[in-house]
Amino acid sequence: MKPIVQIDNSFIESNTIFRELIEVLRNGFANNKTLIPTRHHHDFPNPEMKTDSTVLLMPAWSPGETAGVKIITVSPKNSQFDLPSIQGTYIYLDATNGSVKAIIEAKSLTAKRTAAASALASSYLSRKDSSSLLMIGTGALSKNLIQAHASVRDLKKVYVWGRSFKKAQAICEQLKNEDFTITPIQNIEEKISEVDIISSATLSKTPLILGKHLKKGQHVDLVGAYKKDMREADDETILKSSVYVDSFEGGLKENGDILIPLQTGIIKESDIKADLFGLTSEQKQGRSNVDEITVFKSVGHALEDLVAADYYYEKYIDSQ
């Protein structure tokens, strides 16, 4: 039996090329050969923090090829421990005999594949001439989302907002040598009406993106708000936009940004234009004109994890 490979965050951070990862995700969604059971989403009490934590179990199989399951915990108040909100492990399996091939640290894997999925969606939904981005949120995803979006659009200006201005400054400092200028801002309204792409990755329960501020031709990338009572965008944003999701199964059920407007009758399920399966297979159309406002809601999909695990495992084996 071969030894179990250990792939840590440092390897993932050092060996990610977003253009490559985006393309393997594109192929994975377009081919749609992966079997994806409904993921387990369980909230559990965390009395000391006075808010629930969440455990997610996300299995996936590509029959005869690869398989895996991700175990993730989300603890929204982990910043006080100087820990990321999202922690976990990916167990990468041999699809034939069920043996464990690798244990992959899931924090970076999740951040990279999530950012790549947003950039994949942007390649269909944002204007091709998009050159500016507002990043809302300063967590582990923020840097990755900026870099991923910059890999599919020629960004010239990036702005970063967070509840902590110091954290926004820190993100900008980390990315100061990129090919775009990057600037921290004090409030969202400073730039939200000017930029071409808005990407948001927060745990907010109240909308941060207000439709009244949006202009024609913008693309809105909603990555946070993973619970049914969380929202990053208000009803007006959803109403005035063409809405897309990463998958219909999760995108319509697990997040407040889509679920609340559905429940209140603001939109119907038929108003959701497409998911990544439809876009990548070219069965569905993305942006139709330069004035259209598009919204992409990401909740994460186990296909993304398995494709990313394949990507990093192959890179690791090739490096030995």
Side-chain angles (χ1 to χ4, degrees), residues 254-276:
E254 297 182 2
N255 69 94
D257 280 315
I258 303 299
L259 184 61
I260 293 172
L262 284 173
Q263 290 176 334
T264 57
I266 296 296
I267 58 171
K268 306 183 295 294
E269 286 193 15
S270 58
D271 293 323
I272 310 299
K273 300 291 185 180
D275 63 6
L276 285 177

mmCIF file with all atom_site columns, all heavy atoms in Angstrom, residues 254-276:
data_model
loop_
_atom_site.group_PDB
_atom_site.id
_atom_site.type_symbol
_atom_site.label_atom_id
_atom_site.label_alt_id
_atom_site.label_comp_id
_atom_site.label_asym_id
_atom_site.label_entity_id
_atom_site.label_seq_id
_atom_site.pdbx_PDB_ins_code
_atom_site.Cartn_x
_atom_site.Cartn_y
_atom_site.Cartn_z
_atom_site.occupancy
_atom_site.B_iso_or_equiv
_atom_site.pdbx_formal_charge
_atom_site.auth_seq_id
_atom_site.auth_comp_id
_atom_site.auth_asym_id
_atom_site.auth_atom_id
_atom_site.pdbx_PDB_model_num
ATOM 1   N N   . GLU A 1 254 ? -29.454 27.191 0.065   1.00 0.00 ? 254 GLU A N   1
ATOM 2   C CA  . GLU A 1 254 ? -28.586 27.262 1.232   1.00 0.00 ? 254 GLU A CA  1
ATOM 3   C C   . GLU A 1 254 ? -28.129 28.666 1.609   1.00 0.00 ? 254 GLU A C   1
ATOM 4   O O   . GLU A 1 254 ? -27.320 28.816 2.517   1.00 0.00 ? 254 GLU A O   1
ATOM 5   C CB  . GLU A 1 254 ? -27.348 26.375 0.999   1.00 0.00 ? 254 GLU A CB  1
ATOM 6   C CG  . GLU A 1 254 ? -27.682 24.911 0.836   1.00 0.00 ? 254 GLU A CG  1
ATOM 7   C CD  . GLU A 1 254 ? -26.440 24.061 0.658   1.00 0.00 ? 254 GLU A CD  1
ATOM 8   O OE1 . GLU A 1 254 ? -25.330 24.620 0.697   1.00 0.00 ? 254 GLU A OE1 1
ATOM 9   O OE2 . GLU A 1 254 ? -26.581 22.841 0.485   1.00 0.00 ? 254 GLU A OE2 1
ATOM 10  N N   . ASN A 1 255 ? -28.631 29.694 0.948   1.00 0.00 ? 255 ASN A N   1
ATOM 11  C CA  . ASN A 1 255 ? -28.125 31.031 1.243   1.00 0.00 ? 255 ASN A CA  1
ATOM 12  C C   . ASN A 1 255 ? -29.242 32.056 1.175   1.00 0.00 ? 255 ASN A C   1
ATOM 13  O O   . ASN A 1 255 ? -30.152 31.957 0.364   1.00 0.00 ? 255 ASN A O   1
ATOM 14  C CB  . ASN A 1 255 ? -27.023 31.392 0.252   1.00 0.00 ? 255 ASN A CB  1
ATOM 15  C CG  . ASN A 1 255 ? -27.584 31.586 -1.143  1.00 0.00 ? 255 ASN A CG  1
ATOM 16  O OD1 . ASN A 1 255 ? -27.900 32.705 -1.546  1.00 0.00 ? 255 ASN A OD1 1
ATOM 17  N ND2 . ASN A 1 255 ? -27.736 30.500 -1.902  1.00 0.00 ? 255 ASN A ND2 1
ATOM 18  N N   . GLY A 1 256 ? -29.134 33.063 2.030   1.00 0.00 ? 256 GLY A N   1
ATOM 19  C CA  . GLY A 1 256 ? -30.171 34.077 2.090   1.00 0.00 ? 256 GLY A CA  1
ATOM 20  C C   . GLY A 1 256 ? -30.255 34.971 0.882   1.00 0.00 ? 256 GLY A C   1
ATOM 21  O O   . GLY A 1 256 ? -31.324 35.501 0.565   1.00 0.00 ? 256 GLY A O   1
ATOM 22  N N   . ASP A 1 257 ? -29.143 35.171 0.177   1.00 0.00 ? 257 ASP A N   1
ATOM 23  C CA  . ASP A 1 257 ? -29.148 36.067 -0.980  1.00 0.00 ? 257 ASP A CA  1
ATOM 24  C C   . ASP A 1 257 ? -30.145 35.633 -2.048  1.00 0.00 ? 257 ASP A C   1
ATOM 25  O O   . ASP A 1 257 ? -30.736 36.461 -2.737  1.00 0.00 ? 257 ASP A O   1
ATOM 26  C CB  . ASP A 1 257 ? -27.741 36.145 -1.595  1.00 0.00 ? 257 ASP A CB  1
ATOM 27  C CG  . ASP A 1 257 ? -26.837 37.089 -0.841  1.00 0.00 ? 257 ASP A CG  1
ATOM 28  O OD1 . ASP A 1 257 ? -27.293 38.203 -0.508  1.00 0.00 ? 257 ASP A OD1 1
ATOM 29  O OD2 . ASP A 1 257 ? -25.678 36.723 -0.592  1.00 0.00 ? 257 ASP A OD2 1
ATOM 30  N N   . ILE A 1 258 ? -30.323 34.332 -2.205  1.00 0.00 ? 258 ILE A N   1
ATOM 31  C CA  . ILE A 1 258 ? -31.278 33.810 -3.187  1.00 0.00 ? 258 ILE A CA  1
ATOM 32  C C   . ILE A 1 258 ? -32.546 33.292 -2.504  1.00 0.00 ? 258 ILE A C   1
ATOM 33  O O   . ILE A 1 258 ? -33.660 33.543 -2.966  1.00 0.00 ? 258 ILE A O   1
ATOM 34  C CB  . ILE A 1 258 ? -30.646 32.676 -4.020  1.00 0.00 ? 258 ILE A CB  1
ATOM 35  C CG1 . ILE A 1 258 ? -29.367 33.168 -4.708  1.00 0.00 ? 258 ILE A CG1 1
ATOM 36  C CG2 . ILE A 1 258 ? -31.642 32.151 -5.045  1.00 0.00 ? 258 ILE A CG2 1
ATOM 37  C CD1 . ILE A 1 258 ? -29.567 34.312 -5.674  1.00 0.00 ? 258 ILE A CD1 1
ATOM 38  N N   . LEU A 1 259 ? -32.389 32.595 -1.387  1.00 0.00 ? 259 LEU A N   1
ATOM 39  C CA  . LEU A 1 259 ? -33.521 31.956 -0.737  1.00 0.00 ? 259 LEU A CA  1
ATOM 40  C C   . LEU A 1 259 ? -34.554 32.964 -0.233  1.00 0.00 ? 259 LEU A C   1
ATOM 41  O O   . LEU A 1 259 ? -35.766 32.777 -0.421  1.00 0.00 ? 259 LEU A O   1
ATOM 42  C CB  . LEU A 1 259 ? -33.032 31.080 0.427   1.00 0.00 ? 259 LEU A CB  1
ATOM 43  C CG  . LEU A 1 259 ? -34.109 30.265 1.154   1.00 0.00 ? 259 LEU A CG  1
ATOM 44  C CD1 . LEU A 1 259 ? -34.778 29.292 0.208   1.00 0.00 ? 259 LEU A CD1 1
ATOM 45  C CD2 . LEU A 1 259 ? -33.504 29.526 2.341   1.00 0.00 ? 259 LEU A CD2 1
ATOM 46  N N   . ILE A 1 260 ? -34.099 34.031 0.390   1.00 0.00 ? 260 ILE A N   1
ATOM 47  C CA  . ILE A 1 260 ? -35.045 35.018 0.936   1.00 0.00 ? 260 ILE A CA  1
ATOM 48  C C   . ILE A 1 260 ? -35.870 35.670 -0.168  1.00 0.00 ? 260 ILE A C   1
ATOM 49  O O   . ILE A 1 260 ? -37.112 35.740 -0.059  1.00 0.00 ? 260 ILE A O   1
ATOM 50  C CB  . ILE A 1 260 ? -34.312 36.054 1.811   1.00 0.00 ? 260 ILE A CB  1
ATOM 51  C CG1 . ILE A 1 260 ? -33.759 35.372 3.069   1.00 0.00 ? 260 ILE A CG1 1
ATOM 52  C CG2 . ILE A 1 260 ? -35.258 37.190 2.201   1.00 0.00 ? 260 ILE A CG2 1
ATOM 53  C CD1 . ILE A 1 260 ? -32.854 36.251 3.916   1.00 0.00 ? 260 ILE A CD1 1
ATOM 54  N N   . PRO A 1 261 ? -35.265 36.154 -1.263  1.00 0.00 ? 261 PRO A N   1
ATOM 55  C CA  . PRO A 1 261 ? -36.094 36.688 -2.360  1.00 0.00 ? 261 PRO A CA  1
ATOM 56  C C   . PRO A 1 261 ? -37.043 35.653 -2.957  1.00 0.00 ? 261 PRO A C   1
ATOM 57  O O   . PRO A 1 261 ? -38.146 36.003 -3.385  1.00 0.00 ? 261 PRO A O   1
ATOM 58  C CB  . PRO A 1 261 ? -35.059 37.142 -3.390  1.00 0.00 ? 261 PRO A CB  1
ATOM 59  C CG  . PRO A 1 261 ? -33.837 37.423 -2.601  1.00 0.00 ? 261 PRO A CG  1
ATOM 60  C CD  . PRO A 1 261 ? -33.836 36.399 -1.509  1.00 0.00 ? 261 PRO A CD  1
ATOM 61  N N   . LEU A 1 262 ? -36.645 34.397 -2.976  1.00 0.00 ? 262 LEU A N   1
ATOM 62  C CA  . LEU A 1 262 ? -37.546 33.340 -3.463  1.00 0.00 ? 262 LEU A CA  1
ATOM 63  C C   . LEU A 1 262 ? -38.735 33.167 -2.522  1.00 0.00 ? 262 LEU A C   1
ATOM 64  O O   . LEU A 1 262 ? -39.886 33.061 -2.954  1.00 0.00 ? 262 LEU A O   1
ATOM 65  C CB  . LEU A 1 262 ? -36.790 32.018 -3.587  1.00 0.00 ? 262 LEU A CB  1
ATOM 66  C CG  . LEU A 1 262 ? -35.851 31.843 -4.782  1.00 0.00 ? 262 LEU A CG  1
ATOM 67  C CD1 . LEU A 1 262 ? -35.054 30.555 -4.653  1.00 0.00 ? 262 LEU A CD1 1
ATOM 68  C CD2 . LEU A 1 262 ? -36.633 31.847 -6.100  1.00 0.00 ? 262 LEU A CD2 1
ATOM 69  N N   . GLN A 1 263 ? -38.454 33.147 -1.229  1.00 0.00 ? 263 GLN A N   1
ATOM 70  C CA  . GLN A 1 263 ? -39.516 32.927 -0.247  1.00 0.00 ? 263 GLN A CA  1
ATOM 71  C C   . GLN A 1 263 ? -40.496 34.089 -0.186  1.00 0.00 ? 263 GLN A C   1
ATOM 72  O O   . GLN A 1 263 ? -41.681 33.890 0.088   1.00 0.00 ? 263 GLN A O   1
ATOM 73  C CB  . GLN A 1 263 ? -38.902 32.681 1.133   1.00 0.00 ? 263 GLN A CB  1
ATOM 74  C CG  . GLN A 1 263 ? -38.174 31.349 1.256   1.00 0.00 ? 263 GLN A CG  1
ATOM 75  C CD  . GLN A 1 263 ? -37.497 31.168 2.596   1.00 0.00 ? 263 GLN A CD  1
ATOM 76  O OE1 . GLN A 1 263 ? -37.144 32.141 3.268   1.00 0.00 ? 263 GLN A OE1 1
ATOM 77  N NE2 . GLN A 1 263 ? -37.306 29.919 3.006   1.00 0.00 ? 263 GLN A NE2 1
ATOM 78  N N   . THR A 1 264 ? -40.004 35.294 -0.422  1.00 0.00 ? 264 THR A N   1
ATOM 79  C CA  . THR A 1 264 ? -40.877 36.473 -0.339  1.00 0.00 ? 264 THR A CA  1
ATOM 80  C C   . THR A 1 264 ? -41.534 36.811 -1.669  1.00 0.00 ? 264 THR A C   1
ATOM 81  O O   . THR A 1 264 ? -42.306 37.769 -1.755  1.00 0.00 ? 264 THR A O   1
ATOM 82  C CB  . THR A 1 264 ? -40.084 37.695 0.159   1.00 0.00 ? 264 THR A CB  1
ATOM 83  O OG1 . THR A 1 264 ? -38.968 37.920 -0.718  1.00 0.00 ? 264 THR A OG1 1
ATOM 84  C CG2 . THR A 1 264 ? -39.571 37.474 1.577   1.00 0.00 ? 264 THR A CG2 1
ATOM 85  N N   . GLY A 1 265 ? -41.219 36.035 -2.701  1.00 0.00 ? 265 GLY A N   1
ATOM 86  C CA  . GLY A 1 265 ? -41.848 36.246 -3.995  1.00 0.00 ? 265 GLY A CA  1
ATOM 87  C C   . GLY A 1 265 ? -41.230 37.345 -4.826  1.00 0.00 ? 265 GLY A C   1
ATOM 88  O O   . GLY A 1 265 ? -41.775 37.726 -5.870  1.00 0.00 ? 265 GLY A O   1
ATOM 89  N N   . ILE A 1 266 ? -40.078 37.835 -4.410  1.00 0.00 ? 266 ILE A N   1
ATOM 90  C CA  . ILE A 1 266 ? -39.373 38.859 -5.193  1.00 0.00 ? 266 ILE A CA  1
ATOM 91  C C   . ILE A 1 266 ? -38.958 38.282 -6.544  1.00 0.00 ? 266 ILE A C   1
ATOM 92  O O   . ILE A 1 266 ? -39.045 38.938 -7.584  1.00 0.00 ? 266 ILE A O   1
ATOM 93  C CB  . ILE A 1 266 ? -38.133 39.377 -4.426  1.00 0.00 ? 266 ILE A CB  1
ATOM 94  C CG1 . ILE A 1 266 ? -38.543 40.077 -3.131  1.00 0.00 ? 266 ILE A CG1 1
ATOM 95  C CG2 . ILE A 1 266 ? -37.298 40.309 -5.295  1.00 0.00 ? 266 ILE A CG2 1
ATOM 96  C CD1 . ILE A 1 266 ? -39.356 41.333 -3.324  1.00 0.00 ? 266 ILE A CD1 1
ATOM 97  N N   . ILE A 1 267 ? -38.499 37.025 -6.528  1.00 0.00 ? 267 ILE A N   1
ATOM 98  C CA  . ILE A 1 267 ? -38.148 36.313 -7.757  1.00 0.00 ? 267 ILE A CA  1
ATOM 99  C C   . ILE A 1 267 ? -38.709 34.899 -7.697  1.00 0.00 ? 267 ILE A C   1
ATOM 100 O O   . ILE A 1 267 ? -39.134 34.426 -6.631  1.00 0.00 ? 267 ILE A O   1
ATOM 101 C CB  . ILE A 1 267 ? -36.613 36.245 -7.977  1.00 0.00 ? 267 ILE A CB  1
ATOM 102 C CG1 . ILE A 1 267 ? -35.928 35.554 -6.780  1.00 0.00 ? 267 ILE A CG1 1
ATOM 103 C CG2 . ILE A 1 267 ? -36.035 37.618 -8.232  1.00 0.00 ? 267 ILE A CG2 1
ATOM 104 C CD1 . ILE A 1 267 ? -34.463 35.252 -6.997  1.00 0.00 ? 267 ILE A CD1 1
ATOM 105 N N   . LYS A 1 268 ? -38.721 34.236 -8.833  1.00 0.00 ? 268 LYS A N   1
ATOM 106 C CA  . LYS A 1 268 ? -39.109 32.832 -8.928  1.00 0.00 ? 268 LYS A CA  1
ATOM 107 C C   . LYS A 1 268 ? -37.877 32.017 -9.333  1.00 0.00 ? 268 LYS A C   1
ATOM 108 O O   . LYS A 1 268 ? -36.902 32.565 -9.856  1.00 0.00 ? 268 LYS A O   1
ATOM 109 C CB  . LYS A 1 268 ? -40.215 32.638 -9.967  1.00 0.00 ? 268 LYS A CB  1
ATOM 110 C CG  . LYS A 1 268 ? -41.433 33.519 -9.771  1.00 0.00 ? 268 LYS A CG  1
ATOM 111 C CD  . LYS A 1 268 ? -42.509 33.216 -10.808 1.00 0.00 ? 268 LYS A CD  1
ATOM 112 C CE  . LYS A 1 268 ? -42.047 33.558 -12.226 1.00 0.00 ? 268 LYS A CE  1
ATOM 113 N NZ  . LYS A 1 268 ? -41.839 34.995 -12.431 1.00 0.00 ? 268 LYS A NZ  1
ATOM 114 N N   . GLU A 1 269 ? -37.932 30.715 -9.094  1.00 0.00 ? 269 GLU A N   1
ATOM 115 C CA  . GLU A 1 269 ? -36.808 29.860 -9.479  1.00 0.00 ? 269 GLU A CA  1
ATOM 116 C C   . GLU A 1 269 ? -36.515 29.983 -10.969 1.00 0.00 ? 269 GLU A C   1
ATOM 117 O O   . GLU A 1 269 ? -35.355 29.927 -11.388 1.00 0.00 ? 269 GLU A O   1
ATOM 118 C CB  . GLU A 1 269 ? -37.092 28.395 -9.122  1.00 0.00 ? 269 GLU A CB  1
ATOM 119 C CG  . GLU A 1 269 ? -36.994 28.103 -7.641  1.00 0.00 ? 269 GLU A CG  1
ATOM 120 C CD  . GLU A 1 269 ? -36.972 26.612 -7.340  1.00 0.00 ? 269 GLU A CD  1
ATOM 121 O OE1 . GLU A 1 269 ? -36.755 25.819 -8.287  1.00 0.00 ? 269 GLU A OE1 1
ATOM 122 O OE2 . GLU A 1 269 ? -37.168 26.252 -6.162  1.00 0.00 ? 269 GLU A OE2 1
ATOM 123 N N   . SER A 1 270 ? -37.539 30.168 -11.758 1.00 0.00 ? 270 SER A N   1
ATOM 124 C CA  . SER A 1 270 ? -37.352 30.288 -13.213 1.00 0.00 ? 270 SER A CA  1
ATOM 125 C C   . SER A 1 270 ? -36.610 31.563 -13.612 1.00 0.00 ? 270 SER A C   1
ATOM 126 O O   . SER A 1 270 ? -36.151 31.689 -14.752 1.00 0.00 ? 270 SER A O   1
ATOM 127 C CB  . SER A 1 270 ? -38.707 30.243 -13.923 1.00 0.00 ? 270 SER A CB  1
ATOM 128 O OG  . SER A 1 270 ? -39.558 31.279 -13.469 1.00 0.00 ? 270 SER A OG  1
ATOM 129 N N   . ASP A 1 271 ? -36.490 32.512 -12.664 1.00 0.00 ? 271 ASP A N   1
ATOM 130 C CA  . ASP A 1 271 ? -35.752 33.741 -12.950 1.00 0.00 ? 271 ASP A CA  1
ATOM 131 C C   . ASP A 1 271 ? -34.240 33.535 -12.900 1.00 0.00 ? 271 ASP A C   1
ATOM 132 O O   . ASP A 1 271 ? -33.486 34.383 -13.386 1.00 0.00 ? 271 ASP A O   1
ATOM 133 C CB  . ASP A 1 271 ? -36.145 34.849 -11.956 1.00 0.00 ? 271 ASP A CB  1
ATOM 134 C CG  . ASP A 1 271 ? -37.580 35.310 -12.136 1.00 0.00 ? 271 ASP A CG  1
ATOM 135 O OD1 . ASP A 1 271 ? -38.030 35.363 -13.296 1.00 0.00 ? 271 ASP A OD1 1
ATOM 136 O OD2 . ASP A 1 271 ? -38.249 35.614 -11.128 1.00 0.00 ? 271 ASP A OD2 1
ATOM 137 N N   . ILE A 1 272 ? -33.784 32.451 -12.279 1.00 0.00 ? 272 ILE A N   1
ATOM 138 C CA  . ILE A 1 272 ? -32.351 32.164 -12.228 1.00 0.00 ? 272 ILE A CA  1
ATOM 139 C C   . ILE A 1 272 ? -31.921 31.684 -13.606 1.00 0.00 ? 272 ILE A C   1
ATOM 140 O O   . ILE A 1 272 ? -32.415 30.671 -14.106 1.00 0.00 ? 272 ILE A O   1
ATOM 141 C CB  . ILE A 1 272 ? -32.016 31.107 -11.154 1.00 0.00 ? 272 ILE A CB  1
ATOM 142 C CG1 . ILE A 1 272 ? -32.649 31.479 -9.816  1.00 0.00 ? 272 ILE A CG1 1
ATOM 143 C CG2 . ILE A 1 272 ? -30.505 30.951 -11.031 1.00 0.00 ? 272 ILE A CG2 1
ATOM 144 C CD1 . ILE A 1 272 ? -32.202 32.781 -9.235  1.00 0.00 ? 272 ILE A CD1 1
ATOM 145 N N   . LYS A 1 273 ? -31.001 32.387 -14.227 1.00 0.00 ? 273 LYS A N   1
ATOM 146 C CA  . LYS A 1 273 ? -30.689 32.165 -15.643 1.00 0.00 ? 273 LYS A CA  1
ATOM 147 C C   . LYS A 1 273 ? -29.974 30.845 -15.906 1.00 0.00 ? 273 LYS A C   1
ATOM 148 O O   . LYS A 1 273 ? -30.284 30.133 -16.862 1.00 0.00 ? 273 LYS A O   1
ATOM 149 C CB  . LYS A 1 273 ? -29.825 33.314 -16.161 1.00 0.00 ? 273 LYS A CB  1
ATOM 150 C CG  . LYS A 1 273 ? -30.467 34.685 -16.073 1.00 0.00 ? 273 LYS A CG  1
ATOM 151 C CD  . LYS A 1 273 ? -31.620 34.815 -17.045 1.00 0.00 ? 273 LYS A CD  1
ATOM 152 C CE  . LYS A 1 273 ? -32.177 36.225 -17.055 1.00 0.00 ? 273 LYS A CE  1
ATOM 153 N NZ  . LYS A 1 273 ? -33.295 36.390 -17.999 1.00 0.00 ? 273 LYS A NZ  1
ATOM 154 N N   . ALA A 1 274 ? -28.981 30.520 -15.074 1.00 0.00 ? 274 ALA A N   1
ATOM 155 C CA  . ALA A 1 274 ? -28.171 29.322 -15.342 1.00 0.00 ? 274 ALA A CA  1
ATOM 156 C C   . ALA A 1 274 ? -27.246 29.061 -14.175 1.00 0.00 ? 274 ALA A C   1
ATOM 157 O O   . ALA A 1 274 ? -27.052 29.915 -13.293 1.00 0.00 ? 274 ALA A O   1
ATOM 158 C CB  . ALA A 1 274 ? -27.365 29.495 -16.632 1.00 0.00 ? 274 ALA A CB  1
ATOM 159 N N   . ASP A 1 275 ? -26.647 27.879 -14.175 1.00 0.00 ? 275 ASP A N   1
ATOM 160 C CA  . ASP A 1 275 ? -25.568 27.579 -13.237 1.00 0.00 ? 275 ASP A CA  1
ATOM 161 C C   . ASP A 1 275 ? -24.294 27.306 -14.030 1.00 0.00 ? 275 ASP A C   1
ATOM 162 O O   . ASP A 1 275 ? -24.277 27.418 -15.269 1.00 0.00 ? 275 ASP A O   1
ATOM 163 C CB  . ASP A 1 275 ? -25.933 26.412 -12.317 1.00 0.00 ? 275 ASP A CB  1
ATOM 164 C CG  . ASP A 1 275 ? -26.160 25.090 -13.054 1.00 0.00 ? 275 ASP A CG  1
ATOM 165 O OD1 . ASP A 1 275 ? -25.936 25.027 -14.284 1.00 0.00 ? 275 ASP A OD1 1
ATOM 166 O OD2 . ASP A 1 275 ? -26.561 24.114 -12.385 1.00 0.00 ? 275 ASP A OD2 1
ATOM 167 N N   . LEU A 1 276 ? -23.225 26.969 -13.325 1.00 0.00 ? 276 LEU A N   1
ATOM 168 C CA  . LEU A 1 276 ? -21.940 26.769 -14.006 1.00 0.00 ? 276 LEU A CA  1
ATOM 169 C C   . LEU A 1 276 ? -21.967 25.562 -14.935 1.00 0.00 ? 276 LEU A C   1
ATOM 170 O O   . LEU A 1 276 ? -21.230 25.533 -15.923 1.00 0.00 ? 276 LEU A O   1
ATOM 171 C CB  . LEU A 1 276 ? -20.807 26.629 -12.985 1.00 0.00 ? 276 LEU A CB  1
ATOM 172 C CG  . LEU A 1 276 ? -20.363 27.923 -12.311 1.00 0.00 ? 276 LEU A CG  1
ATOM 173 C CD1 . LEU A 1 276 ? -19.287 27.643 -11.254 1.00 0.00 ? 276 LEU A CD1 1
ATOM 174 C CD2 . LEU A 1 276 ? -19.842 28.936 -13.324 1.00 0.00 ? 276 LEU A CD2 1
#
